[in-house]
Amino acid sequence: MSANPLASIIKTGATELLMQLLSQIPGWEGPSRTQFDNEVRSLIGRLEDAEERITVVLLAESLLKLETGGIA
Amino acid sequence: MSAAPTQFEVEPIHLRGFCAVLMASAAMVEVSHMSRAAFPAAWIYGQILLTPIIADITKLAQSCAAAAANYEGCEASVGVSLGASLQSLEPVMAKAVAGVALAAESLVSGGETRVFTQSTGSHQEKSPETIDELLGRLQAVAAEKQIRVEQSGRHFNLYLPGTQNWSPIPNGSAFDLTSNLVAFAGGGQPGQLSAPEHAALQVLKDSGFGSQPGDTATIVGYSEGALVGANLIAGGAIAKLGGRASGLISVGGPISARGIAREIPVISLEHANDLVPKLDLAEHKQTHSWTTVKLPKTAGLGHSLTSYRQSVAEMGAAKSAELNDKIAGLLAPGKAVVTDYKAVRAG
C-alpha cells in the first residue's frame, strides 16, 4: 500500500518502459548487447530500490501528518 | 563496383529509439516525483536517491545517441544523405514513443474525453512586466490547478499549468497523463486536440479573445502547459479564434519540435538537467525570434517550477534585464482583468 499511489503507478510506467528495452531489440547479440542489458537491469533495480525507500519515508510522513492533524 | 552495405551489431535507428525510450523513462521518474512535493521529507529524500539514477539513465541515453552518430559517420562514407535523413527522424521517433505509450494508456483509460471549463473568479491586477512576475503567476496558477486569462486592453495572457494528475485513469483535471500523451503525439491539428487544448481555446473564447480585430494573445506555459500552448499556435487554433498569437513563453516545455511559425516570438527556459524539454529530441533553437534561455544545472531535480524561479532570480542583472526586454515585447502594460478557470474532464 502506498500513501501516494500516483508515484507508484508512474514508477511502474518508467520501469516498464525500461523493461521493454530489454525485450524489443531485434537481432542484437554479442558483448555490447550483454553490457547494455546489464546496465538497463541495474538501472531498473536501483529505481525499484529507491522507490521502495521513498515510499517508506512517505508513509511515515503521511502517518505523522495524520497524527499531528488530529486524525486518529 | 559498389561497396557492400555496412553491417552493424545494432542499427543506428534502433539506437536512436533506445535513446528516446531512456529519455522518456528518466523524465517520467522525475515528473512523477513532483507529485510528492506536498511531503517535504519524502521529496528531499527522493531527490537525493533519484537524481544520480536519472543522471545515469541520461548518460546511457547519450551513449546510445553517440553510438548512433558514430555509426552514421561510418555510413557517411557509403551514403552521404543517410546521416541527415536519420537526424530528421529524431522528433518523429519521440512522437512515436508517445504514440505507443498513448495506445497502451488508452487501453486502460479509454483515451481522451470531453472537458468542461468553469470560471472560478475574477479580479483586477497590474499586468506582469518581468520574468519573475510571470513565473510567480504561473506558480500560483499551477498551485490552484487552474487556467488563467489576463486581459489588458485587447491583449490576453493565457497561463497554462503543468501536468496535475499522473494516473493513467483520467479523473478530474484536464492536465493529466492522457492529455500529455495526446498533446505530444499530436500537434494541435483539428481533430487531434487534447483536453487542455480544448479547454484553453474555450476560456480564450469566453474571455472575448478574437471578438475584435487586432486581438493578441501570449501564452505562458509550464511543462505540459507549454506543449499545449505550442500546439495551439503551431496548429493554427489561436488564429482560428480570430486573433493573433503574439508569443509563447515556455518553462520546461518540450516544444522544440513544434512547427511554430518563424514570425511568432518564443522564449523557452530550460535547465541543463531538466529532461522534459529534451523529450522531443529536437535541437533547441536559437534564432532571431526563438530564444532558448539555457539555465545552469540545479542541485536537485531540474523540472521544478520553484527551481526555475530560483535560477531566474540568480541569473544576474544584465541577463535578467535582457530577458525582461524580450518579454516586455510580448506583454501589455497597465491594469489587467484576471479570470481563473477550472478545466475538468466530463464524467
Side-chain angles (χ1 to χ4, degrees):
Chain A
M1 190 195 111
S2 163
N4 187 352
L6 295 188
S8 304
I9 287 165
I10 298 303
K11 182 265 290 182
T12 310
T15 48
E16 275 300 315
L17 266 181
L18 291 174
M19 295 286 273
Q20 280 182 19
L21 270 183
L22 299 174
S23 59
Q24 294 182 357
I25 307 175
W28 182 15
E29 288 171 3
S32 61
R33 166 71 194 257
T34 309
Q35 191 190 344
F36 183 81
D37 275 12
N38 287 342
E39 288 195 30
V40 174
R41 278 184 212 286
S42 157
L43 287 167
I44 292 170
R46 286 169 62 198
L47 255 183
E48 287 177 342
D49 181 55
E51 292 290 348
E52 273 175 30
R53 287 164 186 263
I54 297 165
T55 304
V56 171
V57 175
L58 197 138
L59 272 172
E61 202 174 1
S62 305
L63 288 172
L64 195 68
K65 271 192 179 182
L66 283 176
E67 278 191 13
T68 53
I71 304 163
Chain B
M1 193 177 108
S2 64
T6 310
Q7 293 291 317
F8 300 120
E9 272 193 338
V10 57
E11 292 299 322
I13 191 166
H14 291 139
L15 284 168
R16 288 192 179 279
F18 305 159
C19 176
V21 172
L22 285 163
M23 296 285 275
S25 307
M28 214 179 240
V29 173
E30 180 165 340
V31 290
S32 69
H33 186 56
M34 300 291 161
S35 66
R36 300 185 181 112
F39 299 85
W43 165 253
I44 292 166
Y45 187 53
Q47 288 222 29
I48 293 165
L49 290 185
L50 295 174
T51 302
I53 300 174
I54 290 169
D56 285 348
I57 297 176
T58 311
K59 234 180 263 174
L60 187 58
Q62 283 166 345
S63 301
C64 289
N70 280 342
Y71 282 171
E72 286 155 20
C74 171
E75 283 239 307
S77 60
V78 182
V80 178
S81 65
L82 187 66
S85 63
L86 278 173
Q87 215 163 23
S88 70
L89 261 180
E90 281 186 341
V92 177
M93 188 74 76
K95 277 193 173 188
V97 170
V100 170
L102 176 61
E105 197 270 344
S106 297
L107 287 176
V108 180
S109 71
E112 199 53 291
T113 62
R114 282 190 306 148
V115 64
F116 291 107
T117 57
Q118 188 182 16
S119 166
T120 58
S122 201
H123 64 278
Q124 284 214 341
E125 203 173 343
K126 185 177 83 69
S127 289
E129 290 171 2
T130 65
I131 183 67
D132 183 57
E133 286 173 359
L134 269 182
L135 291 181
R137 308 252 168 126
L138 198 52
Q139 242 181 337
V141 164
E144 295 296 321
K145 303 181 177 181
Q146 315 235 41
I147 295 177
R148 175 173 289 185
V149 178
E150 219 168 46
Q151 184 184 352
S152 177
R154 295 310 301 171
H155 177 81
F156 300 74
N157 291 331
L158 174 68
Y159 295 86
L160 300 171
T163 307
Q164 291 153 357
N165 174 18
W166 283 98
S167 166
I169 313 292
N171 179 21
S173 173
F175 290 82
D176 58 13
L177 178 61
T178 304
S179 63
N180 225 322
L181 294 171
V182 171
F184 207 98
Q189 300 300 321
Q192 295 182 334
L193 294 182
S194 65
E197 286 162 4
H198 279 296
L201 290 174
Q202 189 58 52
V203 302
L204 275 177
K205 202 173 166 189
D206 290 352
S207 306
F209 173 75
S211 62
Q212 290 187 29
D215 283 358
T216 53
T218 292
I219 302 181
V220 186
Y222 166 59
S223 193
E224 183 185 2
L227 176 62
V228 165
N231 277 348
L232 291 177
I233 296 172
I238 296 289
K240 277 189 192 129
L241 287 179
R244 181 175 65 81
S246 47
L248 171 69
I249 298 166
S250 159
V251 184
I255 60 164
S256 301
R258 305 291 133 175
I260 296 175
R262 280 184 188 179
E263 65 270 18
I264 298 173
V266 176
I267 295 170
S268 177
L269 271 57
E270 301 177 4
H271 273 139
N273 60 329
D274 185 354
L275 293 170
V276 176
K278 298 178 177 67
L279 272 181
D280 51 21
L281 304 180
E283 191 187 343
H284 298 199
K285 297 176 190 176
Q286 205 69 259
T287 67
H288 75 282
S289 62
W290 189 305
T291 306
T292 300
V293 182
K294 292 181 178 169
L295 298 165
K297 192 176 168 184
T298 56
L301 301 176
H303 191 58
S304 138
L305 194 47
T306 308
S307 65
Y308 269 105
R309 204 169 173 198
Q310 195 177 336
S311 297
V312 163
E314 292 167 356
M315 78 193 312
K319 277 190 179 176
S320 184
E322 191 186 333
L323 186 54
N324 286 336
D325 272 354
K326 284 189 174 162
I327 281 170
L330 310 184
L331 306 171
K335 280 256 179 196
V337 177
V338 179
T339 311
D340 289 327
Y341 295 86
K342 286 269 183 206
V344 181
R345 288 186 179 278

